[in-house]
Amino acid sequence: GLHTENLTKRFGDLVAVEDVSLTVEAGELLCLLGPSGCGKSTTLRMLAGLETPTEGEVYINDTEVTDQPPYKQDSSMVFQEWALFPHKSVIENVAFGLKMQGMDKKARREKAREMLEVMEMGEFGDASPTDLSGGQQQRVALARSLATESPVLLLDEPLSNLDKRLKEQMQIEIKEIHSQFQRTTIHVTHDQDEAFTIGDKIGIMNDGRLVQVGPPREVYNNPKNKFVEEFLGETN
Ligand code: ATP
Ligand code: MG
């Protein structure tokens, strides 16, 4: 699993993340939910080693990884903007992370093919990402993350650019893939329907702080404070 101790990030005078101690059990899918600007992405970026915490520590499987470069961190991140390399083919994109892990070329291509199949993108291996729809590109990005076999998957609003129908379909798929691979996952969203659909647990952030963490039903039935109650009361 993954845990943080008193994770804090300041940008000058601005406290983006404040004293976040979070535990995600191995194999669990936690949805990090909260309004725009509450610190979700900054938290995820610190977990990924893309941002140095001002204070606090990050542990993956009980090993401290705070501030380790991403490829040493055993985590793999998918962004809202899919960040596929436009000049590499789909399969080269998926295989890319494996190169960083030191896998040889043949094994990389086999693994990449396998993961594209899982995402039902097997027939697009030789295509250019620029010829794919948004949803297809996102499947490729997910395949790339899954292929790395890193024990922690970090997803930052991976579905926010998709239309409603595709979004609902991908929510179901993320859930299915999660049951299949049992990867410890943190999925950031500001869409509460999405969080309650896919999360084993929900973590609610406000103003840099982690306000409440628990199973969806518990959070929904017993909001810890006025903020959570009102936030969950809003429709999005
Ligand atoms: P959203 O839902 O809009 O993506 P978020 O919850 O992901 O929001 P963050 O992106 O983590 O929020 O930002 C938290 C706060 O930190 C915001 O006030 C933001 O402006 C600020 N912030 C984030 N990154 C930086 C940076 N590199 N430099 C300065 N301020 C930053
Ligand atoms: Mg964000």
Side-chain angles (χ1 to χ4, degrees):
L2 172 149
H3 79 276
T4 71
E5 283 176 14
N6 310 100
L7 209 54
T8 294
K9 181 69 186 185
R10 294 190 208 98
F11 296 106
D13 289 340
L14 180 100
V15 187
V17 175
E18 188 166 12
D19 209 20
V20 167
S21 296
L22 171 69
T23 298
V24 189
E25 305 292 344
E28 198 169 72
L29 194 164
L30 176 116
C31 275
L32 205 52
L33 181 66
S36 186
C38 72
K40 304 181 296 297
S41 294
T42 305
T43 301
L44 217 57
R45 291 173 58 78
M46 287 191 283
L47 299 181
L50 298 170
E51 198 86 75
T52 305
T54 312
E55 284 165 37
E57 296 97 47
V58 178
Y59 298 84
I60 292 179
N61 295 334
D62 293 325
T63 302
E64 188 177 353
V65 297
T66 320
D67 209 16
Q68 292 270 319
Y71 64 92
K72 285 199 180 157
Q73 271 225 355
D74 272 359
S75 63
S76 178
M77 187 147 167
V78 175
F79 301 90
Q80 176 176 358
E81 302 295 338
W82 302 312
L84 298 174
F85 299 109
H87 303 299
K88 290 182 190 292
S89 69
V90 163
I91 194 155
E92 285 166 351
N93 266 279
V94 177
F96 180 77
L98 303 174
K99 195 170 182 177
M100 307 285 281
Q101 291 188 334
M103 199 185 270
D104 74 50
K105 189 165 182 183
K106 184 157 176 285
R108 291 204 298 270
R109 286 192 85 85
E110 268 171 28
K111 187 78 200 173
R113 284 238 172 271
E114 185 189 325
M115 284 305 138
L116 283 171
E117 295 288 341
V118 168
M119 293 309 302
E120 292 174 14
M121 288 296 291
E123 63 193 288
F124 295 94
D126 297 324
S128 162
T130 54
D131 293 332
L132 303 180
S133 71
Q136 289 171 329
Q137 289 184 39
Q138 193 59 321
R139 282 166 198 261
V140 174
L142 283 168
R144 181 171 62 183
S145 272
L146 290 170
T148 62
E149 292 184 351
S150 54
V152 175
L153 198 56
L154 304 169
L155 309 174
D156 194 356
E157 311 221 17
L159 308 183
S160 63
N161 283 340
L162 306 181
D163 67 38
K164 190 168 182 297
R165 193 190 53 81
L166 197 54
K167 189 183 279 194
E168 287 169 357
Q169 186 188 335
M170 288 295 288
Q171 286 169 2
I172 294 166
E173 277 179 39
I174 286 180
K175 189 103 187 124
E176 280 174 5
I177 287 168
H178 180 72
S179 339
Q180 187 180 345
F181 291 92
Q182 300 284 309
R183 203 76 62 88
T184 306
T185 305
I186 301 185
H187 179 117
V188 164
T189 177
H190 58 250
D191 177 336
Q192 38 166 306
D193 288 338
E194 184 167 308
F196 280 84
T197 301
I198 69 175
D200 298 322
K201 286 208 185 131
I202 309 278
I204 297 191
M205 285 188 75
N206 182 34
D207 213 5
R209 289 183 168 270
L210 185 63
V211 184
Q212 185 170 5
V213 185
R217 194 177 297 253
E218 183 189 300
V219 172
Y220 195 80
N221 291 336
N222 303 299
K224 195 165 170 179
N225 63 22
K226 199 91 191 145
F227 168 79
V228 177
E229 190 178 325
E230 285 175 2
F231 182 70
L232 295 182
E234 286 167 16
T235 46
N236 47 97

